[in-house]
Amino acid sequence: MESLVVGDIQGLGDNQGTLTLYTNDNGGIIDDLIVTKTEQGYLYVVSNAGCIDKDLAHVQSKLTKFQKQGGDVQLEVLTDRGLVAVQGPGMMQTMQPLVDCDLSQLTFMTSTITKVCNVSDCRVTRCGYTGEDGVEISVPASKAVDIVKEILASKEDDVKLAGLGARDTLRLEAGLCLYGNDIDENTTPIEAGLAWTIGKRRRETVDFPGASIILKQLKDKPLKRRVGLVSSGAPARGHTPVLDQNGNQIGEVTSGGPSPCLKKNIAMAYVLSEYAKLGTKLQCEVRKKQIPAEVVKMPFVPAKYFTKK
């Protein structure tokens, strides 16, 4: 796995996971994924369903080479599973009566196998794509609808179904990247502000794909950087040009829209590094009008992950 990703997988504890990145030889991001080192002796990997063909082909090619060199590794693709995400400040009160584990002992990015709604073989992971406290639950596909119905019925006033539009708003407020929008094979972890995904030991061993390019950027600074923007007027959406004060294009918005929590328009964009400093005044060109914008710190809304700290 470490021949594929930038993270320190060996350094994980049992049932501990990490967000990491598949990178290519040019330092670009093939995909983002979560790898959990389980106490059962295998790695549990969750990557983007939208990238399944590309990701599997990439992993299989590396796996075949590793096996030919005498490596002892097998890959099992779990095709009969569903994923249920329960996110928000009421998650603990809602889910604790429905699971057979003590959720107070399950901290952010840790995982366990337990019963959920009396269904066996469910993997509960304390994580999510919203910036809120929550869990993602891998369940047998045949039981997914039953489990969702039981969760909804448990606290009818507090638990609601949410679509991808709501999740997209939440992940934007949390400053989280969406693959294909904010990161892709033409962006590096350093440009994307994801240097923290590169394990300290991996920086020293310099043995992940694209390591020389990525670590050089880490030392010398990249040409462009992902930044957060707050703007007035009409919201800046993906592909909106970002301009300096003189009207010269110096970047482009990758994700943007109104923030329900902040009652402001927010966006993520890539801009030339010289314009990435907090407080820098810029402009977004929305429908041929120049809208004032300012570089701000991300996340836009503070994360509420359950870390026990």
Side-chain angles (χ1 to χ4, degrees):
M1 182 55 72
E2 287 193 351
S3 74
L4 294 162
V5 302
V6 302
D8 182 1
I9 308 304
Q10 293 182 47
L12 294 173
D14 282 351
N15 299 324
Q16 182 184 11
T18 185
L19 177 73
T20 189
L21 308 167
Y22 291 129
T23 50
N24 60 30
D25 292 338
N26 295 320
I29 300 170
I30 296 172
D31 199 6
D32 56 322
L33 63 153
I34 293 176
V35 179
T36 300
K37 186 178 179 183
T38 72
E39 64 184 355
Q40 290 80 20
Y42 57 83
L43 300 178
Y44 173 66
V45 179
V46 180
S47 57
N48 287 309
C51 296
I52 185 169
D53 293 335
K54 179 177 72 169
D55 288 357
L56 275 180
H58 179 62
V59 173
Q60 287 282 14
S61 66
K62 289 272 189 177
L63 182 140
T64 300
K65 289 179 183 177
F66 191 78
Q67 289 174 329
K68 287 181 178 177
Q69 294 167 355
D72 179 14
V73 62
Q74 300 295 327
L75 175 67
E76 180 183 356
V77 182
L78 305 178
T79 57
D80 59 345
R81 308 290 289 183
L83 195 65
V84 179
V86 185
Q87 302 282 295
M91 184 280 295
M92 278 274 286
Q93 292 82 355
T94 298
M95 292 305 301
Q96 187 58 77
L98 303 177
V99 300
D100 277 9
C101 65
D102 182 356
L103 290 176
S104 69
Q105 300 304 307
L106 197 68
T107 55
F108 182 60
M109 294 305 287
T110 61
S111 179
T112 188
I113 293 177
T114 187
K115 281 186 178 180
V116 177
C117 300
N118 290 315
V119 176
S120 301
D121 191 30
C122 294
R123 178 171 288 279
V124 178
T125 304
R126 195 81 174 245
C127 68
Y129 192 49
T130 62
E132 290 286 341
D133 182 25
V135 290
E136 290 189 340
I137 313 168
S138 173
V139 303
S142 62
K143 298 293 184 180
V145 172
D146 292 339
I147 288 173
V148 169
K149 285 181 176 178
E150 191 161 340
I151 294 171
L152 288 170
S154 64
K155 290 195 174 184
E156 291 183 21
D157 293 335
D158 298 331
V159 186
K160 305 293 182 187
L161 291 173
L164 291 177
R167 190 177 72 154
D168 196 51
T169 298
L170 288 162
R171 69 94 190 167
L172 177 57
E173 291 181 334
L176 301 175
C177 294
L178 174 63
Y179 192 83
N181 283 42
D182 312 297
I183 51 176
D184 57 30
E185 294 192 34
N186 296 310
T187 54
T188 70
I190 311 306
E191 293 169 344
L194 298 173
W196 59 270
T197 63
I198 308 170
K200 181 180 178 182
R201 178 177 61 81
R202 305 304 307 279
R203 299 182 189 198
E204 296 168 353
T205 54
V206 196
D207 58 353
F208 53 86
S212 59
I213 294 171
I214 291 169
L215 295 178
K216 187 176 188 302
Q217 284 188 348
L218 187 62
K219 180 182 177 183
D220 300 336
K221 295 185 180 179
L223 185 64
K224 63 181 180 179
R225 285 189 182 277
R226 179 173 65 96
V227 299
L229 298 175
V230 169
S231 64
S232 57
R237 307 285 184 176
H239 304 297
T240 295
V242 180
L243 316 175
D244 65 13
Q245 292 291 67
N246 296 318
N248 302 306
Q249 184 168 351
I250 49 88
E252 184 177 272
V253 170
T254 53
S255 293
S259 164
C261 287
L262 300 178
K263 312 302 181 190
K264 298 177 181 177
N265 294 327
I266 60 175
M268 293 192 290
Y270 281 90
V271 300
L272 297 175
S273 289
E274 62 197 271
Y275 296 94
K277 186 177 179 181
L278 296 181
T280 301
K281 304 293 185 183
L282 299 171
Q283 303 177 91
C284 293
E285 189 177 281
V286 181
R287 295 193 288 273
K288 298 185 179 180
K289 290 184 179 180
Q290 295 181 359
I291 305 296
E294 181 179 339
V295 177
V296 298
K297 187 177 181 180
M298 291 188 288
F300 300 98
V301 176
K304 301 181 181 69
Y305 304 129
F306 181 68
T307 59
K308 263 193 169 182
K309 290 180 182 178

mmCIF file with all atom_site columns, all heavy atoms in Angstrom, residues 122-148:
data_model
loop_
_atom_site.group_PDB
_atom_site.id
_atom_site.type_symbol
_atom_site.label_atom_id
_atom_site.label_alt_id
_atom_site.label_comp_id
_atom_site.label_asym_id
_atom_site.label_entity_id
_atom_site.label_seq_id
_atom_site.pdbx_PDB_ins_code
_atom_site.Cartn_x
_atom_site.Cartn_y
_atom_site.Cartn_z
_atom_site.occupancy
_atom_site.B_iso_or_equiv
_atom_site.pdbx_formal_charge
_atom_site.auth_seq_id
_atom_site.auth_comp_id
_atom_site.auth_asym_id
_atom_site.auth_atom_id
_atom_site.pdbx_PDB_model_num
ATOM 1   N N   . CYS A 1 122 ? -21.139 -5.247 10.451 1.00 0.00 ? 122 CYS A N   1
ATOM 2   C CA  . CYS A 1 122 ? -21.142 -3.848 10.020 1.00 0.00 ? 122 CYS A CA  1
ATOM 3   C C   . CYS A 1 122 ? -19.862 -3.176 10.535 1.00 0.00 ? 122 CYS A C   1
ATOM 4   O O   . CYS A 1 122 ? -19.489 -3.373 11.689 1.00 0.00 ? 122 CYS A O   1
ATOM 5   C CB  . CYS A 1 122 ? -22.353 -3.108 10.586 1.00 0.00 ? 122 CYS A CB  1
ATOM 6   S SG  . CYS A 1 122 ? -23.939 -3.697 9.956  1.00 0.00 ? 122 CYS A SG  1
ATOM 7   N N   . ARG A 1 123 ? -19.212 -2.424 9.677  1.00 0.00 ? 123 ARG A N   1
ATOM 8   C CA  . ARG A 1 123 ? -18.015 -1.690 10.104 1.00 0.00 ? 123 ARG A CA  1
ATOM 9   C C   . ARG A 1 123 ? -18.388 -0.226 10.320 1.00 0.00 ? 123 ARG A C   1
ATOM 10  O O   . ARG A 1 123 ? -18.801 0.459  9.393  1.00 0.00 ? 123 ARG A O   1
ATOM 11  C CB  . ARG A 1 123 ? -16.882 -1.801 9.087  1.00 0.00 ? 123 ARG A CB  1
ATOM 12  C CG  . ARG A 1 123 ? -15.656 -0.986 9.503  1.00 0.00 ? 123 ARG A CG  1
ATOM 13  C CD  . ARG A 1 123 ? -14.438 -1.245 8.649  1.00 0.00 ? 123 ARG A CD  1
ATOM 14  N NE  . ARG A 1 123 ? -13.855 -2.554 8.899  1.00 0.00 ? 123 ARG A NE  1
ATOM 15  C CZ  . ARG A 1 123 ? -13.036 -2.847 9.916  1.00 0.00 ? 123 ARG A CZ  1
ATOM 16  N NH1 . ARG A 1 123 ? -12.732 -1.889 10.805 1.00 0.00 ? 123 ARG A NH1 1
ATOM 17  N NH2 . ARG A 1 123 ? -12.544 -4.047 10.064 1.00 0.00 ? 123 ARG A NH2 1
ATOM 18  N N   . VAL A 1 124 ? -18.247 0.234  11.564 1.00 0.00 ? 124 VAL A N   1
ATOM 19  C CA  . VAL A 1 124 ? -18.554 1.610  11.925 1.00 0.00 ? 124 VAL A CA  1
ATOM 20  C C   . VAL A 1 124 ? -17.242 2.383  12.039 1.00 0.00 ? 124 VAL A C   1
ATOM 21  O O   . VAL A 1 124 ? -16.355 2.001  12.802 1.00 0.00 ? 124 VAL A O   1
ATOM 22  C CB  . VAL A 1 124 ? -19.315 1.678  13.264 1.00 0.00 ? 124 VAL A CB  1
ATOM 23  C CG1 . VAL A 1 124 ? -19.593 3.129  13.653 1.00 0.00 ? 124 VAL A CG1 1
ATOM 24  C CG2 . VAL A 1 124 ? -20.619 0.887  13.186 1.00 0.00 ? 124 VAL A CG2 1
ATOM 25  N N   . THR A 1 125 ? -17.112 3.467  11.273 1.00 0.00 ? 125 THR A N   1
ATOM 26  C CA  . THR A 1 125 ? -15.914 4.295  11.295 1.00 0.00 ? 125 THR A CA  1
ATOM 27  C C   . THR A 1 125 ? -16.312 5.714  11.680 1.00 0.00 ? 125 THR A C   1
ATOM 28  O O   . THR A 1 125 ? -17.242 6.280  11.114 1.00 0.00 ? 125 THR A O   1
ATOM 29  C CB  . THR A 1 125 ? -15.216 4.299  9.929  1.00 0.00 ? 125 THR A CB  1
ATOM 30  O OG1 . THR A 1 125 ? -14.937 2.946  9.543  1.00 0.00 ? 125 THR A OG1 1
ATOM 31  C CG2 . THR A 1 125 ? -13.903 5.068  9.990  1.00 0.00 ? 125 THR A CG2 1
ATOM 32  N N   . ARG A 1 126 ? -15.597 6.293  12.640 1.00 0.00 ? 126 ARG A N   1
ATOM 33  C CA  . ARG A 1 126 ? -15.900 7.659  13.103 1.00 0.00 ? 126 ARG A CA  1
ATOM 34  C C   . ARG A 1 126 ? -15.259 8.657  12.136 1.00 0.00 ? 126 ARG A C   1
ATOM 35  O O   . ARG A 1 126 ? -14.112 9.079  12.299 1.00 0.00 ? 126 ARG A O   1
ATOM 36  C CB  . ARG A 1 126 ? -15.365 7.863  14.528 1.00 0.00 ? 126 ARG A CB  1
ATOM 37  C CG  . ARG A 1 126 ? -15.937 9.100  15.261 1.00 0.00 ? 126 ARG A CG  1
ATOM 38  C CD  . ARG A 1 126 ? -17.288 8.764  15.823 1.00 0.00 ? 126 ARG A CD  1
ATOM 39  N NE  . ARG A 1 126 ? -17.863 9.819  16.660 1.00 0.00 ? 126 ARG A NE  1
ATOM 40  C CZ  . ARG A 1 126 ? -18.100 9.671  17.972 1.00 0.00 ? 126 ARG A CZ  1
ATOM 41  N NH1 . ARG A 1 126 ? -17.789 8.555  18.611 1.00 0.00 ? 126 ARG A NH1 1
ATOM 42  N NH2 . ARG A 1 126 ? -18.677 10.638 18.640 1.00 0.00 ? 126 ARG A NH2 1
ATOM 43  N N   . CYS A 1 127 ? -15.987 8.986  11.097 1.00 0.00 ? 127 CYS A N   1
ATOM 44  C CA  . CYS A 1 127 ? -15.477 9.920  10.100 1.00 0.00 ? 127 CYS A CA  1
ATOM 45  C C   . CYS A 1 127 ? -16.657 10.433 9.284  1.00 0.00 ? 127 CYS A C   1
ATOM 46  O O   . CYS A 1 127 ? -17.808 10.143 9.594  1.00 0.00 ? 127 CYS A O   1
ATOM 47  C CB  . CYS A 1 127 ? -14.437 9.262  9.188  1.00 0.00 ? 127 CYS A CB  1
ATOM 48  S SG  . CYS A 1 127 ? -15.097 7.986  8.086  1.00 0.00 ? 127 CYS A SG  1
ATOM 49  N N   . GLY A 1 128 ? -16.387 11.191 8.242  1.00 0.00 ? 128 GLY A N   1
ATOM 50  C CA  . GLY A 1 128 ? -17.447 11.700 7.388  1.00 0.00 ? 128 GLY A CA  1
ATOM 51  C C   . GLY A 1 128 ? -16.965 12.860 6.555  1.00 0.00 ? 128 GLY A C   1
ATOM 52  O O   . GLY A 1 128 ? -15.896 13.422 6.805  1.00 0.00 ? 128 GLY A O   1
ATOM 53  N N   . TYR A 1 129 ? -17.767 13.241 5.584  1.00 0.00 ? 129 TYR A N   1
ATOM 54  C CA  . TYR A 1 129 ? -17.376 14.218 4.580  1.00 0.00 ? 129 TYR A CA  1
ATOM 55  C C   . TYR A 1 129 ? -18.149 15.519 4.775  1.00 0.00 ? 129 TYR A C   1
ATOM 56  O O   . TYR A 1 129 ? -18.582 16.152 3.835  1.00 0.00 ? 129 TYR A O   1
ATOM 57  C CB  . TYR A 1 129 ? -17.655 13.612 3.200  1.00 0.00 ? 129 TYR A CB  1
ATOM 58  C CG  . TYR A 1 129 ? -17.073 14.325 2.015  1.00 0.00 ? 129 TYR A CG  1
ATOM 59  C CD1 . TYR A 1 129 ? -15.735 14.719 1.973  1.00 0.00 ? 129 TYR A CD1 1
ATOM 60  C CD2 . TYR A 1 129 ? -17.863 14.590 0.907  1.00 0.00 ? 129 TYR A CD2 1
ATOM 61  C CE1 . TYR A 1 129 ? -15.210 15.359 0.867  1.00 0.00 ? 129 TYR A CE1 1
ATOM 62  C CE2 . TYR A 1 129 ? -17.348 15.227 -0.208 1.00 0.00 ? 129 TYR A CE2 1
ATOM 63  C CZ  . TYR A 1 129 ? -16.022 15.611 -0.213 1.00 0.00 ? 129 TYR A CZ  1
ATOM 64  O OH  . TYR A 1 129 ? -15.509 16.241 -1.329 1.00 0.00 ? 129 TYR A OH  1
ATOM 65  N N   . THR A 1 130 ? -18.331 15.900 6.055  1.00 0.00 ? 130 THR A N   1
ATOM 66  C CA  . THR A 1 130 ? -19.148 17.072 6.364  1.00 0.00 ? 130 THR A CA  1
ATOM 67  C C   . THR A 1 130 ? -18.480 18.057 7.318  1.00 0.00 ? 130 THR A C   1
ATOM 68  O O   . THR A 1 130 ? -18.985 19.156 7.493  1.00 0.00 ? 130 THR A O   1
ATOM 69  C CB  . THR A 1 130 ? -20.487 16.645 7.001  1.00 0.00 ? 130 THR A CB  1
ATOM 70  O OG1 . THR A 1 130 ? -20.212 15.957 8.234  1.00 0.00 ? 130 THR A OG1 1
ATOM 71  C CG2 . THR A 1 130 ? -21.288 15.750 6.072  1.00 0.00 ? 130 THR A CG2 1
ATOM 72  N N   . GLY A 1 131 ? -17.391 17.670 7.960  1.00 0.00 ? 131 GLY A N   1
ATOM 73  C CA  . GLY A 1 131 ? -16.791 18.521 8.985  1.00 0.00 ? 131 GLY A CA  1
ATOM 74  C C   . GLY A 1 131 ? -17.447 18.361 10.346 1.00 0.00 ? 131 GLY A C   1
ATOM 75  O O   . GLY A 1 131 ? -16.966 18.887 11.348 1.00 0.00 ? 131 GLY A O   1
ATOM 76  N N   . GLU A 1 132 ? -18.556 17.622 10.393 1.00 0.00 ? 132 GLU A N   1
ATOM 77  C CA  . GLU A 1 132 ? -19.273 17.379 11.646 1.00 0.00 ? 132 GLU A CA  1
ATOM 78  C C   . GLU A 1 132 ? -18.820 16.056 12.267 1.00 0.00 ? 132 GLU A C   1
ATOM 79  O O   . GLU A 1 132 ? -18.186 15.225 11.607 1.00 0.00 ? 132 GLU A O   1
ATOM 80  C CB  . GLU A 1 132 ? -20.776 17.309 11.379 1.00 0.00 ? 132 GLU A CB  1
ATOM 81  C CG  . GLU A 1 132 ? -21.416 18.631 11.015 1.00 0.00 ? 132 GLU A CG  1
ATOM 82  C CD  . GLU A 1 132 ? -21.572 19.552 12.218 1.00 0.00 ? 132 GLU A CD  1
ATOM 83  O OE1 . GLU A 1 132 ? -21.534 19.066 13.359 1.00 0.00 ? 132 GLU A OE1 1
ATOM 84  O OE2 . GLU A 1 132 ? -21.736 20.764 11.996 1.00 0.00 ? 132 GLU A OE2 1
ATOM 85  N N   . ASP A 1 133 ? -19.158 15.862 13.537 1.00 0.00 ? 133 ASP A N   1
ATOM 86  C CA  . ASP A 1 133 ? -19.009 14.540 14.141 1.00 0.00 ? 133 ASP A CA  1
ATOM 87  C C   . ASP A 1 133 ? -19.959 13.593 13.414 1.00 0.00 ? 133 ASP A C   1
ATOM 88  O O   . ASP A 1 133 ? -21.040 13.979 12.977 1.00 0.00 ? 133 ASP A O   1
ATOM 89  C CB  . ASP A 1 133 ? -19.357 14.602 15.627 1.00 0.00 ? 133 ASP A CB  1
ATOM 90  C CG  . ASP A 1 133 ? -19.168 13.272 16.330 1.00 0.00 ? 133 ASP A CG  1
ATOM 91  O OD1 . ASP A 1 133 ? -18.362 12.451 15.848 1.00 0.00 ? 133 ASP A OD1 1
ATOM 92  O OD2 . ASP A 1 133 ? -19.826 13.058 17.361 1.00 0.00 ? 133 ASP A OD2 1
ATOM 93  N N   . GLY A 1 134 ? -19.555 12.347 13.271 1.00 0.00 ? 134 GLY A N   1
ATOM 94  C CA  . GLY A 1 134 ? -20.435 11.393 12.603 1.00 0.00 ? 134 GLY A CA  1
ATOM 95  C C   . GLY A 1 134 ? -19.756 10.066 12.375 1.00 0.00 ? 134 GLY A C   1
ATOM 96  O O   . GLY A 1 134 ? -18.595 9.862  12.740 1.00 0.00 ? 134 GLY A O   1
ATOM 97  N N   . VAL A 1 135 ? -20.507 9.146  11.786 1.00 0.00 ? 135 VAL A N   1
ATOM 98  C CA  . VAL A 1 135 ? -19.986 7.825  11.447 1.00 0.00 ? 135 VAL A CA  1
ATOM 99  C C   . VAL A 1 135 ? -20.351 7.485  10.014 1.00 0.00 ? 135 VAL A C   1
ATOM 100 O O   . VAL A 1 135 ? -21.359 7.953  9.482  1.00 0.00 ? 135 VAL A O   1
ATOM 101 C CB  . VAL A 1 135 ? -20.534 6.724  12.391 1.00 0.00 ? 135 VAL A CB  1
ATOM 102 C CG1 . VAL A 1 135 ? -19.952 6.857  13.788 1.00 0.00 ? 135 VAL A CG1 1
ATOM 103 C CG2 . VAL A 1 135 ? -22.059 6.744  12.434 1.00 0.00 ? 135 VAL A CG2 1
ATOM 104 N N   . GLU A 1 136 ? -19.499 6.681  9.400  1.00 0.00 ? 136 GLU A N   1
ATOM 105 C CA  . GLU A 1 136 ? -19.824 6.041  8.133  1.00 0.00 ? 136 GLU A CA  1
ATOM 106 C C   . GLU A 1 136 ? -19.866 4.538  8.406  1.00 0.00 ? 136 GLU A C   1
ATOM 107 O O   . GLU A 1 136 ? -18.938 3.984  9.005  1.00 0.00 ? 136 GLU A O   1
ATOM 108 C CB  . GLU A 1 136 ? -18.797 6.391  7.060  1.00 0.00 ? 136 GLU A CB  1
ATOM 109 C CG  . GLU A 1 136 ? -18.898 7.842  6.617  1.00 0.00 ? 136 GLU A CG  1
ATOM 110 C CD  . GLU A 1 136 ? -18.037 8.172  5.407  1.00 0.00 ? 136 GLU A CD  1
ATOM 111 O OE1 . GLU A 1 136 ? -17.091 7.415  5.122  1.00 0.00 ? 136 GLU A OE1 1
ATOM 112 O OE2 . GLU A 1 136 ? -18.315 9.189  4.742  1.00 0.00 ? 136 GLU A OE2 1
ATOM 113 N N   . ILE A 1 137 ? -20.942 3.898  7.999  1.00 0.00 ? 137 ILE A N   1
ATOM 114 C CA  . ILE A 1 137 ? -21.180 2.507  8.360  1.00 0.00 ? 137 ILE A CA  1
ATOM 115 C C   . ILE A 1 137 ? -21.247 1.660  7.096  1.00 0.00 ? 137 ILE A C   1
ATOM 116 O O   . ILE A 1 137 ? -22.131 1.851  6.254  1.00 0.00 ? 137 ILE A O   1
ATOM 117 C CB  . ILE A 1 137 ? -22.495 2.345  9.154  1.00 0.00 ? 137 ILE A CB  1
ATOM 118 C CG1 . ILE A 1 137 ? -22.585 3.392  10.266 1.00 0.00 ? 137 ILE A CG1 1
ATOM 119 C CG2 . ILE A 1 137 ? -22.609 0.947  9.722  1.00 0.00 ? 137 ILE A CG2 1
ATOM 120 C CD1 . ILE A 1 137 ? -23.970 3.490  10.894 1.00 0.00 ? 137 ILE A CD1 1
ATOM 121 N N   . SER A 1 138 ? -20.328 0.724  6.958  1.00 0.00 ? 138 SER A N   1
ATOM 122 C CA  . SER A 1 138 ? -20.355 -0.240 5.859  1.00 0.00 ? 138 SER A CA  1
ATOM 123 C C   . SER A 1 138 ? -21.241 -1.402 6.281  1.00 0.00 ? 138 SER A C   1
ATOM 124 O O   . SER A 1 138 ? -20.996 -2.040 7.311  1.00 0.00 ? 138 SER A O   1
ATOM 125 C CB  . SER A 1 138 ? -18.942 -0.729 5.540  1.00 0.00 ? 138 SER A CB  1
ATOM 126 O OG  . SER A 1 138 ? -18.981 -1.775 4.600  1.00 0.00 ? 138 SER A OG  1
ATOM 127 N N   . VAL A 1 139 ? -22.281 -1.660 5.497  1.00 0.00 ? 139 VAL A N   1
ATOM 128 C CA  . VAL A 1 139 ? -23.273 -2.671 5.873  1.00 0.00 ? 139 VAL A CA  1
ATOM 129 C C   . VAL A 1 139 ? -23.501 -3.632 4.712  1.00 0.00 ? 139 VAL A C   1
ATOM 130 O O   . VAL A 1 139 ? -23.224 -3.296 3.557  1.00 0.00 ? 139 VAL A O   1
ATOM 131 C CB  . VAL A 1 139 ? -24.622 -2.000 6.248  1.00 0.00 ? 139 VAL A CB  1
ATOM 132 C CG1 . VAL A 1 139 ? -24.418 -0.992 7.371  1.00 0.00 ? 139 VAL A CG1 1
ATOM 133 C CG2 . VAL A 1 139 ? -25.264 -1.330 5.045  1.00 0.00 ? 139 VAL A CG2 1
ATOM 134 N N   . PRO A 1 140 ? -24.000 -4.846 4.989  1.00 0.00 ? 140 PRO A N   1
ATOM 135 C CA  . PRO A 1 140 ? -24.400 -5.722 3.874  1.00 0.00 ? 140 PRO A CA  1
ATOM 136 C C   . PRO A 1 140 ? -25.433 -5.009 3.010  1.00 0.00 ? 140 PRO A C   1
ATOM 137 O O   . PRO A 1 140 ? -26.402 -4.440 3.532  1.00 0.00 ? 140 PRO A O   1
ATOM 138 C CB  . PRO A 1 140 ? -25.001 -6.938 4.592  1.00 0.00 ? 140 PRO A CB  1
ATOM 139 C CG  . PRO A 1 140 ? -24.390 -6.922 5.966  1.00 0.00 ? 140 PRO A CG  1
ATOM 140 C CD  . PRO A 1 140 ? -24.204 -5.481 6.302  1.00 0.00 ? 140 PRO A CD  1
ATOM 141 N N   . ALA A 1 141 ? -25.243 -5.016 1.700  1.00 0.00 ? 141 ALA A N   1
ATOM 142 C CA  . ALA A 1 141 ? -26.117 -4.261 0.800  1.00 0.00 ? 141 ALA A CA  1
ATOM 143 C C   . ALA A 1 141 ? -27.583 -4.648 0.963  1.00 0.00 ? 141 ALA A C   1
ATOM 144 O O   . ALA A 1 141 ? -28.475 -3.795 0.894  1.00 0.00 ? 141 ALA A O   1
ATOM 145 C CB  . ALA A 1 141 ? -25.667 -4.462 -0.645 1.00 0.00 ? 141 ALA A CB  1
ATOM 146 N N   . SER A 1 142 ? -27.837 -5.922 1.220  1.00 0.00 ? 142 SER A N   1
ATOM 147 C CA  . SER A 1 142 ? -29.220 -6.394 1.337  1.00 0.00 ? 142 SER A CA  1
ATOM 148 C C   . SER A 1 142 ? -29.925 -5.833 2.569  1.00 0.00 ? 142 SER A C   1
ATOM 149 O O   . SER A 1 142 ? -31.157 -5.858 2.661  1.00 0.00 ? 142 SER A O   1
ATOM 150 C CB  . SER A 1 142 ? -29.247 -7.926 1.390  1.00 0.00 ? 142 SER A CB  1
ATOM 151 O OG  . SER A 1 142 ? -28.557 -8.388 2.538  1.00 0.00 ? 142 SER A OG  1
ATOM 152 N N   . LYS A 1 143 ? -29.141 -5.309 3.530  1.00 0.00 ? 143 LYS A N   1
ATOM 153 C CA  . LYS A 1 143 ? -29.721 -4.784 4.774  1.00 0.00 ? 143 LYS A CA  1
ATOM 154 C C   . LYS A 1 143 ? -29.684 -3.252 4.839  1.00 0.00 ? 143 LYS A C   1
ATOM 155 O O   . LYS A 1 143 ? -30.159 -2.666 5.822  1.00 0.00 ? 143 LYS A O   1
ATOM 156 C CB  . LYS A 1 143 ? -28.956 -5.347 5.979  1.00 0.00 ? 143 LYS A CB  1
ATOM 157 C CG  . LYS A 1 143 ? -29.016 -6.862 6.111  1.00 0.00 ? 143 LYS A CG  1
ATOM 158 C CD  . LYS A 1 143 ? -30.423 -7.327 6.438  1.00 0.00 ? 143 LYS A CD  1
ATOM 159 C CE  . LYS A 1 143 ? -30.463 -8.836 6.679  1.00 0.00 ? 143 LYS A CE  1
ATOM 160 N NZ  . LYS A 1 143 ? -31.839 -9.298 7.006  1.00 0.00 ? 143 LYS A NZ  1
ATOM 161 N N   . ALA A 1 144 ? -29.139 -2.599 3.808  1.00 0.00 ? 144 ALA A N   1
ATOM 162 C CA  . ALA A 1 144 ? -28.930 -1.154 3.866  1.00 0.00 ? 144 ALA A CA  1
ATOM 163 C C   . ALA A 1 144 ? -30.234 -0.384 4.049  1.00 0.00 ? 144 ALA A C   1
ATOM 164 O O   . ALA A 1 144 ? -30.328 0.515  4.897  1.00 0.00 ? 144 ALA A O   1
ATOM 165 C CB  . ALA A 1 144 ? -28.205 -0.679 2.610  1.00 0.00 ? 144 ALA A CB  1
ATOM 166 N N   . VAL A 1 145 ? -31.255 -0.724 3.270  1.00 0.00 ? 145 VAL A N   1
ATOM 167 C CA  . VAL A 1 145 ? -32.528 0.002  3.354  1.00 0.00 ? 145 VAL A CA  1
ATOM 168 C C   . VAL A 1 145 ? -33.175 -0.196 4.727  1.00 0.00 ? 145 VAL A C   1
ATOM 169 O O   . VAL A 1 145 ? -33.679 0.759  5.335  1.00 0.00 ? 145 VAL A O   1
ATOM 170 C CB  . VAL A 1 145 ? -33.485 -0.444 2.232  1.00 0.00 ? 145 VAL A CB  1
ATOM 171 C CG1 . VAL A 1 145 ? -34.875 0.163  2.435  1.00 0.00 ? 145 VAL A CG1 1
ATOM 172 C CG2 . VAL A 1 145 ? -32.938 -0.019 0.870  1.00 0.00 ? 145 VAL A CG2 1
ATOM 173 N N   . ASP A 1 146 ? -33.138 -1.417 5.231  1.00 0.00 ? 146 ASP A N   1
ATOM 174 C CA  . ASP A 1 146 ? -33.729 -1.699 6.549  1.00 0.00 ? 146 ASP A CA  1
ATOM 175 C C   . ASP A 1 146 ? -33.033 -0.887 7.639  1.00 0.00 ? 146 ASP A C   1
ATOM 176 O O   . ASP A 1 146 ? -33.692 -0.343 8.539  1.00 0.00 ? 146 ASP A O   1
ATOM 177 C CB  . ASP A 1 146 ? -33.622 -3.190 6.876  1.00 0.00 ? 146 ASP A CB  1
ATOM 178 C CG  . ASP A 1 146 ? -34.494 -4.047 5.968  1.00 0.00 ? 146 ASP A CG  1
ATOM 179 O OD1 . ASP A 1 146 ? -35.448 -3.501 5.384  1.00 0.00 ? 146 ASP A OD1 1
ATOM 180 O OD2 . ASP A 1 146 ? -34.204 -5.257 5.832  1.00 0.00 ? 146 ASP A OD2 1
ATOM 181 N N   . ILE A 1 147 ? -31.706 -0.823 7.561  1.00 0.00 ? 147 ILE A N   1
ATOM 182 C CA  . ILE A 1 147 ? -30.948 -0.080 8.571  1.00 0.00 ? 147 ILE A CA  1
ATOM 183 C C   . ILE A 1 147 ? -31.276 1.406  8.504  1.00 0.00 ? 147 ILE A C   1
ATOM 184 O O   . ILE A 1 147 ? -31.510 2.052  9.537  1.00 0.00 ? 147 ILE A O   1
ATOM 185 C CB  . ILE A 1 147 ? -29.432 -0.327 8.390  1.00 0.00 ? 147 ILE A CB  1
ATOM 186 C CG1 . ILE A 1 147 ? -29.086 -1.756 8.834  1.00 0.00 ? 147 ILE A CG1 1
ATOM 187 C CG2 . ILE A 1 147 ? -28.605 0.699  9.173  1.00 0.00 ? 147 ILE A CG2 1
ATOM 188 C CD1 . ILE A 1 147 ? -27.661 -2.166 8.555  1.00 0.00 ? 147 ILE A CD1 1
ATOM 189 N N   . VAL A 1 148 ? -31.333 1.962  7.294  1.00 0.00 ? 148 VAL A N   1
ATOM 190 C CA  . VAL A 1 148 ? -31.670 3.388  7.145  1.00 0.00 ? 148 VAL A CA  1
ATOM 191 C C   . VAL A 1 148 ? -33.063 3.676  7.690  1.00 0.00 ? 148 VAL A C   1
ATOM 192 O O   . VAL A 1 148 ? -33.277 4.664  8.406  1.00 0.00 ? 148 VAL A O   1
ATOM 193 C CB  . VAL A 1 148 ? -31.560 3.820  5.663  1.00 0.00 ? 148 VAL A CB  1
ATOM 194 C CG1 . VAL A 1 148 ? -32.168 5.207  5.465  1.00 0.00 ? 148 VAL A CG1 1
ATOM 195 C CG2 . VAL A 1 148 ? -30.110 3.813  5.214  1.00 0.00 ? 148 VAL A CG2 1
#
